[in-house]
Amino acid sequence: MIEIAVLDDDGKDLERVAALCERFAAERALPVRIVPFSNPFDLLDAAEKKGGADVYLLDILMTRLTGLDVAEELRKRGDRAEIVFLTSSREYGAEAFAVEAAGYLLKPVEEEAFAAMMGRLMEKLAGKGRAPVMIKISGGFRRVMTDEIVLIESFNHRREVTLTGGRKLSTPMTLSELGEMLRPFPEFRAPHRAYLVNLNFVTGISGSELFVGEARIPIAKGAARAFREEYLEYCFSK
């Protein structure tokens, strides 16, 4: 399921863009969930508590926070989703580039331009191999994308999931349950019985340790050579 968050404090514009999303998804039989927001703080709160969207469509000029402010905050949190700005002016190109936005659409948004932009984003998402997974947390679930998961550690009878940007989740799920959930994704490997690692974030291997950012992860005794070969094979297969 692809989640698209639409943010606009103008009710009519919000309704129009949400309708364009629905039509685009229906015509292509895409599994899409559209979540409209009229308040930027509500969007940021939802992204923090429930997990971010795959695509953000953000109005730039709003009375509380600008769409640029929202995009900057999302990027600070490590959110790597696709961002498209909705604007009545072309003057924000440099700012859009600074937050790695996919582009912008001029308002009033025309259906042809919208469909072209969304078509490119759907192809990009498919090429990234991104997929949402649901991780149990205290009192519910958290939706995260597979490419946000850096590593999972099991210690003191609990599991801690490290996400991009240094965010962390604690989960009652066992490492076996998490491993089974992530089994379809070849980037996730277990160098040790207490860890699952996303190989895309591995920055080096030395002796019986691997480096994931600043973290040093042990490799199971006697498995260092096999893991190095596995890691290199994965890198060359990409």
Side-chain angles (χ1 to χ4, degrees), residues 118-211:
M118 293 302 293
R120 290 195 295 273
L121 292 185
M122 294 303 107
E123 289 180 8
K124 195 172 179 181
L125 287 175
K128 284 182 177 179
R130 304 186 82 211
V133 291
M134 301 298 290
I135 296 177
K136 290 180 185 178
I137 58 173
S138 178
F141 289 86
R142 176 72 179 266
R143 176 183 181 274
V144 301
M145 304 305 293
T146 52
D147 67 350
E148 291 181 287
I149 300 172
V150 177
L151 66 92
I152 303 172
E153 304 170 75
S154 178
F155 53 91
N156 297 331
H157 305 290
R158 68 187 182 92
R159 267 60 56 198
E160 186 171 85
V161 183
T162 299
L163 304 176
T164 52
R167 298 168 294 156
K168 293 183 183 292
L169 295 177
S170 290
T171 176
M173 296 175 72
T174 67
L175 203 60
S176 295
E177 289 173 330
L178 291 161
E180 183 61 26
M181 180 178 69
L182 295 170
R183 189 163 59 85
F185 308 99
E187 61 269 34
F188 290 97
R189 305 292 171 88
H192 186 281
R193 62 188 177 124
Y195 295 88
L196 277 172
V197 171
N198 186 336
L199 296 182
N200 292 319
F201 293 98
V202 172
T203 55
I205 299 177
S206 177
S208 59
E209 289 184 320
L210 62 92
F211 302 95

